[in-house]
Amino acid sequence: MEIVFLGTAAFEGYPNPFCNGEHCLSAISSSKNIDKRLRSAVLIDNRVLIDFGPDIVASSQKLGLNLSKVELLLITHSHEDHLYIPNFAMRQRAFNNKFDELIDMTVMASDDVMKKIIESEYSVDAKLILKPVAPFKTYEFGEYEITPVPANHYVGENEKGLLYLIQKDSKTLFYATDTGPFDNLYAENLKNKVNLNKIDLLILDATLGFTQSEYLGHNTYESFLQTLSILKTHDLLDDSSTIVAHHFSHHHNPNFHELQELYSRENILVSYDGMKIKV
Ligand SMILES: [Zn+2]
Ligand SMILES: [Zn+2]
């Protein structure tokens, strides 16, 4: 699988254009693109897109990507940085000059997210195949196996966020944002309910970075490392696994090069917009 990061920021983008904090001012005045982050999404093999936030247009323009070959869209949850429903209109006849040639796009999301998509006029006649999915069940899609698993992330009364395990050619990618720390029970569930052996590429929430936070819906640097240690204890990660920190908030995370300096001490990569990884 080849993964391209379309965006790597948390909810407000990095820099947040309304913020005069040190990190945002330094990012906006930086001459380097690597210091500027759009809202998080990744593209796999040009065919599978994870999340559909408000920066999909900006990120695909910036990276020179055409998304018309995307056959599968996975939605983690309905927070606005991950799902901007009007995006579906770009697939409707009125907005698409090659509508007749446009291939269907399957959308996988939880029941509650799917309800929001179905209720919207933007999803009508957009060549969508809507497939509600449940955690710990595996769905085949061409040569991919897709297994949603629960996120440790509050979304709303009725909605539980999802993370996705994506398997192809006996490699496993675990896309794990937005989420807080995993505990031993979580790792046991990955082993027992999903039969997971090893994660080859882990893309893990690092939103809260270098802060002391009691909030459990995202990872701090400390809880990021604790999560890795739990997954290692259960043999779900080993020295050959690639680990990427992802989904950065401007509050608690310095610029790319400082982050890279801190995470590289633990052999962890730091995501940036446009980053490509093969697994
Ligand atoms: Zn988010
Ligand atoms: Zn969220």
Side-chain angles (χ1 to χ4, degrees), residues 77 79 81-82 153 178 218:
H77 62 303
H79 278 159
D81 53 326
H82 295 260
H153 185 69
D178 296 0
H218 286 295

Side-chain angles (χ1 to χ4, degrees), residues 84-181:
Y84 177 66
I85 292 179
N87 282 343
F88 287 111
M90 293 185 277
R91 301 179 51 84
Q92 291 175 325
R93 189 181 287 279
F95 294 98
N96 197 303
N97 276 349
K98 292 284 179 186
F99 178 80
D100 291 329
E101 293 165 27
L102 185 67
I103 57 171
D104 288 343
M105 182 169 78
T106 298
V107 182
M108 293 187 184
S110 68
D111 279 327
D112 291 300
V113 173
M114 207 55 94
K115 267 189 214 130
K116 293 183 181 176
I117 295 173
I118 290 168
E119 280 165 10
S120 163
E121 61 189 294
Y122 298 114
S123 68
V124 177
D125 294 331
K127 294 199 177 181
L128 304 176
I129 298 170
L130 302 177
K131 191 167 175 52
V133 293
F136 298 119
K137 287 192 180 161
T138 297
Y139 303 84
E140 297 215 357
F141 187 88
E143 60 267 63
Y144 300 92
E145 285 188 351
I146 312 288
T147 311
V149 289
N152 177 7
H153 185 69
Y154 182 77
V155 189
E157 283 289 291
N158 300 315
E159 187 188 328
K160 300 253 183 302
L162 295 176
L163 312 174
Y164 288 94
L165 289 157
I166 298 157
Q167 294 171 298
K168 187 189 154 202
D169 302 332
S170 45
K171 295 285 184 187
T172 300
L173 155 65
F174 187 13
Y175 188 78
T177 196
D178 296 0
T179 188

Side-chain angles (χ1 to χ4, degrees), residues 2 17 22 25 36 51 64-65 76 93-94 111-112 122 132 145 151 210 231 234 242 247 252 269 273:
E2 187 181 65
E22 178 198 349
L25 292 182
K36 300 171 181 39
D51 282 340
L65 292 168
T76 55
R93 189 181 287 279
D111 279 327
D112 291 300
Y122 298 114
E145 285 188 351
F210 300 85
L231 294 173
H234 290 80
T242 302
H247 193 274
H252 326 285
L269 302 174
D273 294 16

